[in-house]
Amino acid sequence: DVKSLCRAFHEATVTQSKPTCIIAKTFKGRGINGIEDQDNWHGKALGDKAAGAIEKLKSKMSNPGPHGLMPINPEFKAPIIDVTNIKLSEPPTYKMGQLVATRLAYGDAITKLGKNNSRVISLDGDVKNSTFAITFKKSFPDRFIECFIAEQNLVGVAIGCETRRRTVPFVSTFSAFLSRAYDQIRMAAISQSNVNFCGSHAGVSIGEDGPSQMALEDLAMFRTIPNCTVFYPSDAVSCERACELAANTPGSREWCGTWPGPPMPSGKDRPHRWRRRRESHRS
């Protein structure tokens, strides 16, 4: 029903300050005898049915043209922003020998990045007190998005926020739970989206919480993602610097963090040399 569709698009155009969702009931091959709503026609040419189908469609055209209708050129009203050269607002301040979980340092790091660039945002899957994304939320509640226990939606929202390089999103949940959103993560990479994923509670270090929470496949999963960079910081200082580097690295980025707090092996000012492994790719 083209008229109903046009009315729906018009209503969406004039509706302000809230999103509009159009739900359309569709039938594959609508209006073509022997094709409409039939199985086994997906991705196939019509063959000897093509000529009849085309004539059927032409007969339904009330104005075959020329009608002079042209689409309006898009207007680029969005202001130019800079999401490059994002830095920590201050260096790590942990002391040598101090026990600090890398997930805690993650919360500190993205908060420091958020202080220096208002386009840094945080999204979490209802575990913000464990991933320490809550640290960011306390400082920037208007730039924090709670996506609850819906990891596919969590990743999808982040992709949308990053579209046209408008934000620098940091997505956090338990690393094991990111496996639920593998398809969305894969499609983000194919779409050349720049999203940062924080998978906390990696490996068996989570211990008493049990095997359902243990991420044993996360590294393998992200290594298959095209142009994905994987970080596994060993302590709090390297974690903060990894987040800073991730914010400025093109493509998808995955950050892995263990549950317990490893001791700081050296001071906050030590140089960081990231060892580069083979980039994930698929020929």
Side-chain angles (χ1 to χ4, degrees), residues 189 195-197 219 222-223 225-232 242 245-246 248-256 274-280:
V195 179
N196 302 285
F197 299 99
L219 291 177
F222 275 95
R223 291 296 288 148
I225 300 297
N227 299 316
C228 180
T229 304
V230 178
F231 298 92
Y232 204 143
L245 184 59
N248 297 280
T249 301
S252 300
R253 282 84 61 183
E254 202 258 344
W255 174 97
C256 299
W274 297 97
R275 291 183 295 173
R276 186 178 182 85
R277 300 299 188 191
R278 177 179 58 83
E279 290 187 0
S280 300

Side-chain angles (χ1 to χ4, degrees), residues 9-214:
F9 281 131
H10 173 72
E11 183 177 346
T13 301
V14 299
T15 301
Q16 302 296 321
S17 303
K18 61 180 180 180
T20 301
C21 178
I22 299 176
I23 301 176
K25 183 177 182 180
T26 62
F27 292 92
K28 192 173 293 185
R30 179 71 170 175
I32 304 176
N33 295 332
I35 302 294
E36 179 180 335
D37 203 27
Q38 296 297 307
D39 293 334
N40 203 30
W41 279 105
H42 180 72
K44 291 185 177 180
L46 298 184
D48 57 4
K49 296 180 180 289
I54 293 172
E55 291 303 317
K56 181 70 173 179
L57 293 174
K58 285 182 176 180
S59 69
K60 292 179 174 294
M61 296 173 62
S62 59
N63 180 10
H67 43 62
L69 295 177
M70 296 291 290
I72 301 174
N73 290 329
E75 296 183 22
F76 298 96
K77 295 181 179 180
I80 297 175
I81 61 170
D82 184 13
V83 292
T84 61
N85 196 32
I86 298 175
K87 300 293 185 183
L88 297 172
S89 59
E90 58 184 274
T93 56
Y94 313 106
K95 301 184 185 323
M96 190 168 76
Q98 183 181 0
L99 298 177
V100 182
T102 49
R103 58 196 176 100
L104 187 149
Y106 167 79
D108 291 342
I110 61 174
T111 302
K112 291 177 181 179
L113 295 174
K115 289 179 180 178
N116 260 358
N117 193 300
S118 62
R119 293 289 171 165
V120 174
I121 66 172
S122 171
L123 305 91
D124 195 86
D126 206 20
V127 287
K128 56 187 175 293
N129 60 321
S130 293
T131 62
F132 284 92
I134 194 170
T135 306
F136 185 95
K137 179 184 178 181
K138 289 177 179 178
S139 296
F140 310 107
D142 58 331
R143 285 153 55 190
F144 176 82
I145 304 174
E146 178 60 81
C147 293
F148 301 101
I149 308 174
E151 287 77 10
Q152 293 177 344
N153 179 62
L154 168 67
V155 175
V157 172
I159 296 170
C161 290
E162 197 278 334
T163 300
R164 295 176 62 193
R165 308 297 185 257
R166 307 308 296 173
T167 66
V168 180
F170 281 83
V171 173
S172 54
T173 186
F174 286 16
S175 203
F177 301 159
L178 285 172
S179 62
R180 302 170 180 169
Y182 177 78
D183 185 41
Q184 282 74 16
I185 294 170
R186 171 180 170 273
M187 291 306 298
I190 291 174
S191 302
Q192 301 181 4
S193 184
N194 293 330
V195 179
N196 302 285
F197 299 99
C198 165
S200 69
H201 299 68
V204 299
S205 65
I206 193 171
E208 61 272 17
D209 282 1
S212 66
Q213 317 287 300
M214 295 177 182

